[in-house]
Structure formats: C-alpha cells, structure tokens
Amino acid sequence: MVDYYKQADVSPIGKDRRNHYSYEIGKDLIGEQVTLVGWVHILRDKGKIKFLILRDERGTTQITIPKKRVPEEVFEISENLKPETAVLVKGEVVATDFLPSGAEVVPSEIRVLNWSETIPIDIVEGKVDIDLDTRLNYRILDLRKPRVNAIFRIQHSLVRFAREFLEQNEFTEIHTPKIVSAATEGGANLFEIKYFEKPAYLAQSPQFYKQLMLLAGFGRVFEIAPVFRAEKHNTPRHMNEYTSFDFEMAWIGGVEDVMKMEEQMLHHAFSKTKQEASRELELLGVDLNVPRLPFKRIKYAEVISLLQDAGKEITLEDDLDPESERMLADIFPEKFGADMVFITHYPMELRPAYTMPSMSDGGMTESFDLTYKGMEITTGGQRIHLYDLLVERFKAKGFDPDRFVFYLDPFKYGAPPHGGLGLGVERLTMQLLGIENIREASLLPRDRDRITP
Ligand code: AMO
C-alpha cells in the first residue's frame, strides 16, 4: 500500500483530537495539557526561541518554543515551518505577562499535517493593502483572514436567528425551483438559459412560487436561496447572484402585518447576533445597534418631499437613485433618530404587477421597502389575491396573461389574502458591518466580470 503521508513528508492526526480552540488558551488552563490544530499564522524567529502564532477557526494563540525547554525534534520542526503550514500542537499551557490572555503554550510535540507553498496574498492583515479584485482572485485564502471570516460568521448568525424567529412563528421552510419559465420582477434583468429545446430562465425571485405555496395550503412560508439578476452594471450594491431571504404569509389584514413580522424578526436576529457573535463583532470593531421597535414608517410621497427640500431634483414617478439613498442615510437619522425606516405606499408604476393597489392612497400600492442606513435592504407588500384584478394588472403592465397561466390560474380557487417580502442577505450584512462593497459580504461573488473562483 502507498503511504501517502510518508510521500508528502507529513503526519496523520491519528488518535489525537483537538481538545481546545486557540481562543480558549487563558489563565484558567495554566498547567493543563492541550491539543490544538490550525495554521501557522505568524512565525517569529529569535534564534534560541521561536514564537508561533497558531490560527484556527475561532482565533489565535501563541506557541512559544524555547530551545532549552522543548524536545530537540520539536525545535527542529519549528525551524522548517512556514506561514499556512497546517499543524497539530500538543503542549502545556503556561503563564505569561506578555499577552493579554495571560497564557501561552509550550509544545511537547508539533506535527506537520500539511505543508503550504508560499502564499500569494498576506493572511496577516494590515501587512500589505491589496485591492479587492486581487483578494477575490484568491478568495479561499482571503477568507482565512480572521476579519474576513468573521463577516460570514456574523452573516450566519443573522440568518440563523431570523430563521429561528420564523420557525417560532409557524413558518414552514420551502425550496422552490430556480429554473423558471417566466419573469417575476419584470423582464429586464433576466438570465436566459439553454434548457433542452425550450427557452428557460434563472429565477429572479421565488415570488410566484412562495405565493402559490400559500394557495397550496401552507399558511406561512419562507425560503433562503440564491436568485439571479442580469444587472448589466457593476455597482457596489448589486451582484448577479445573491441570497434572497423571502417570507410570505396568508390571512393578513393588510401590509402592516408583514412589516410587523419583519421588524420583530430583525429585532430578534440583531439582539441574538449581538450576544452570540460578540467576538466576531468585536474583531471587526462593530458596536451593533439593535434597532428600536417599532421601526419608523413614512410614505413614499413624503420621502420625495424630504428629498426635494434637501435640493434633489426628483418626482413621484422616479425610483430612488443611489444619490437619493445616500441623502436619506443622513436625513433619516437626523429626522427620526433611526437607522431602519420603512418607506410605504409606492406608486403603482414603480411596483410589479402582483402588488395590491392601495384603497386609501389613489395610484399608490400597499407595498414597502425597508431602508437600513439609507440603503434598500427589503422589498415587500400585500399581494393581489383577487383573480380578475390580478389579470387586469398583468395586462396593464404589458404582460400576456396566457404566458402566466401556471401562476394566475390557482387564484381562481379561493386564494387567501396574503403578503410577504424579500430581503437581500448580503445587503443586510454590509449595512450592519459598514462594508462599502457588497462583494465583501458574499463568499464567492458573481458579477459582470467574475464567475470564478
Ligand atoms: P426586489 O427586486 O426589490 O424585490 O429584491 C428584494 C431585495 O433583494 C436585494 N437585491 C439585491 N441584492 C444584491 N444584488 C442585487 N442585484 C439585488 N437586487 C435586489 C435588495 C432588495 O431589497 N419579489 C420581490 C420581493 C417581495 O416583494 O417579496 C423582490 O424580489 O435587498
């Protein structure tokens, strides 16, 4: 049998198992034997003593290797280590005054689990400033940086606790097709794909299917999945694939029920993330401000007036452009003392065909966007559940109802009043952490120029 380990000049983990993470090495473990695994983060060679900063998934700790106090072979191995070598370290935790943790590890054994070639980018942050494009080319290594990794642990926490909230509130998680036959959000940014003999598209949103699942008898549903937008331009807040966090609820009294559910969900997710991801937030220097309930609500028409007052040339017929959003990032905190603001009652022209027209505000809709520090992070609203009105609105938007029979037809059979929303997971993350470019909030971003790694 080939001994692959011998061939590669490395050792197997064998029976040894990690019994601590690096960040746990502190005063309370002094005198204990520990087994750690991870990567060589930094090596400082002071001749007769070497310092190895070991990095694992949760942090770093110092392994101090004094020639006099460690077995000869341990010192020898330490001379061959290079940044990013994967190692297993066994040793004793000893006290030190030189580290904030008050403890370090003196090894009795260092085992090389895998060698690393010289890395093309620095994992140790702050050493060399490289541009985002280069970082993304080496994204797998880039993600090893503790601060970059932390972004996704925080994202995980936000999604985890938002999901937890929905589960506590009778929502069922669903998985709908991403290969679809028609646009949901209008045709402009649709990716066409080759699907045997027929044209097909990548889903822009689970919109139709999440609604249809309410008609199928699920009272409340949610889905967290990729969606695809053929945005032509590279902007700091658009990608061509992003993670859409959608929910949809039946038997609502109005759009207010949807907004209430969202604000409570985000309040829960933010509060729990503040506790559960405190180390990651601290690493990024972010003091997470849990938004106060209820979030402020303001009508679109009033937002337009506020922008006009601030000197912006804009009318009710216009969508909010990036400049408007930047202005609102200042206006909202000043006026309302809040980061989270719902903008409601958008004009019918600016909303998709499935949006419920408003009965109180003529020409407007029962819809909303949620803005966070000025940027739109969510779109939602009450949907049309009345078949005739739905067909009328499809025609008014220039869509041929015959092409949407699969969606429209079920509305003939007692569709419940309902509404819901779509939240961009990366946008939520970037706004929360103060990240400038949405690509940094995506593990492997897809944009006009990038489909690798
Ligand atoms: P909308 O198209 O506004 O609404 O999208 C919902 C949310 O998704 C995020 N988002 C994006 N994030 C990154 N890159 C993009 N190109 C991008 N486009 C949108 C934003 C936005 O608020 N079906 C409706 C939702 C609904 O009504 O339920 C929809 O998709 O955060």
Side-chain angles (χ1 to χ4, degrees), residues 4 10 22 37 108 139 205 214 246 299 316 334-335 387:
Y4 297 108
V10 296
S22 296
V37 286
S108 54
R139 186 59 159 168
S205 155
L214 302 185
D246 283 81
K299 289 185 175 176
L316 254 185
E334 262 169 40
K335 262 198 121 49
Y387 177 78

Side-chain angles (χ1 to χ4, degrees), residues 185 205 207 210 229 231 237-239 242 246 248 354 376-380 383 420-424 427 438:
E185 309 303 310
S205 155
Q207 184 64 38
K210 62 176 175 163
R229 304 277 173 108
E231 316 277 2
R237 54 196 201 124
H238 290 93
M239 291 186 295
Y242 70 91
D246 283 81
E248 205 69 20
Y354 52 76
E376 171 203 326
I377 60 164
T378 299
T379 294
R383 325 298 189 184
L421 58 78
L423 164 73
R427 285 217 188 156
I438 193 167

Side-chain angles (χ1 to χ4, degrees), residues 42-53 62-79 81 89 104-108 110:
I42 301 174
L43 261 178
R44 285 197 197 94
D45 191 345
K46 305 275 176 198
K48 294 208 159 52
I49 184 162
K50 296 185 199 307
F51 299 98
L52 185 174
I53 307 297
Q62 179 164 297
I63 315 293
T64 300
I65 313 163
K67 191 167 185 181
K68 275 193 191 150
R69 282 171 58 199
V70 301
E72 211 172 297
E73 66 274 15
V74 171
F75 197 78
E76 247 166 54
I77 286 183
S78 73
E79 296 202 287
L81 297 176
V89 177
E104 61 188 3
V105 174
V106 175
S108 54
I110 296 180

Side-chain angles (χ1 to χ4, degrees), residues 85-98:
T85 304
V87 290
L88 179 143
V89 177
K90 287 170 130 180
E92 184 183 336
V93 180
V94 301
T96 173
D97 292 334
F98 297 109

